[in-house]
Amino acid sequence: MEGLHPLDLAALIASSTLGLISFLSCICVELEALADWRDRGKDSKMVTRTQVVLQFPMALLSLMLVVSIFMSNYDAPMFMGNDSTCQLDGFLIHIGLWGAVSIDAVLSLSYLLMIKCEWKEEQLRRLEMWPHFVIWPLVLGSGIYLLLTRSFEPSPMGCWILECDNPLCEHEKYGAMLTKSMTHIMGIAYLVFSVYVMCAVSKFARQTIQAG
């Protein structure tokens, strides 16, 4: 691993290891959810079908972390990628990350509606498809823009949105910087929402146990 800083080496090993574990876990969950969907047919639950969709971007993101050494053109001898593979890597990481985050937010919202608003399966079915008409155009559209403007740069854990050190890139990469800022804002909002849903689910579980 000559030429790679110890912290970068640690980041590479950690991301590759966790990515592999996550990828295998996604495959297992996907197979279980598909089996349940197949067995129940039309009676399958909305959360089960959402889990089936969720595993695709999660598996994609995990796989990109595993293969980053082949895709990234980071300045160290063991990285085998070039600028084109780095841009593709960044695009796929972007799709995997924000596809997974968005679908997981829909899943969390479904649990919240069942617990707080006492929604039934029939009501959830009416909601099921609409989020996808918002999520995928935004995720794919922003990813394609970043890909076409070559806005990804290499790192030991894959390629991500360009850090703008050159004053000339202020205007050329404005869209990329805006996307990165929105990434941070949406990430914080997703974290806060997820914690709120986990607290609501935990409270509901305690009340159910006490009532039983």
Side-chain angles (χ1 to χ4, degrees), residues 72-201:
S72 177
N73 58 336
Y74 190 69
D75 188 19
M78 77 288 301
F79 289 92
M80 306 177 189
N82 53 44
D83 184 62
S84 296
T85 59
C86 182
Q87 298 306 313
L88 177 61
D89 185 51
F91 172 74
L92 294 177
I93 288 176
H94 177 86
I95 299 302
L97 174 63
W98 287 111
V101 165
S102 301
I103 300 300
D104 188 61
V106 172
L107 190 62
S108 297
L109 178 62
S110 302
Y111 287 122
L112 194 63
L113 290 172
M114 287 189 288
I115 292 171
K116 290 291 188 180
C117 304
E118 299 183 349
W119 276 36
K120 305 301 181 184
E121 181 65 23
E122 293 75 16
Q123 293 170 294
L124 291 175
R125 285 178 184 271
R126 291 197 292 268
L127 174 68
E128 185 172 359
M129 291 304 298
W130 289 106
H132 296 283
F133 291 110
V134 177
I135 292 170
W136 293 114
L138 288 176
V139 171
L140 289 171
S142 59
I144 291 171
Y145 172 82
L146 293 170
L147 180 64
L148 294 177
T149 55
R150 309 188 77 80
S151 299
F152 299 107
E153 69 168 5
S155 77
M157 295 181 291
C159 298
W160 193 234
I161 300 172
L162 176 69
E163 292 286 351
C164 188
D165 297 324
N166 185 343
L168 294 177
C169 75
E170 180 177 353
H171 301 291
E172 296 175 4
K173 302 296 183 179
Y174 176 76
M177 294 301 102
L178 179 61
T179 302
K180 189 169 186 177
S181 299
M182 290 302 298
T183 295
H184 293 156
I185 294 171
M186 291 172 62
I188 293 172
Y190 168 73
L191 179 61
V192 171
F193 179 65
S194 297
V195 170
Y196 174 72
V197 172
M198 284 190 291
C199 291
V201 171

Side-chain angles (χ1 to χ4, degrees), residues 11-21 62 65-69 156-157:
L12 173 63
I13 295 173
S15 64
S16 299
T17 303
L18 294 175
L20 179 59
I21 295 172
S62 302
L65 293 176
V66 175
V67 302
S68 63
I69 194 171
M157 295 181 291

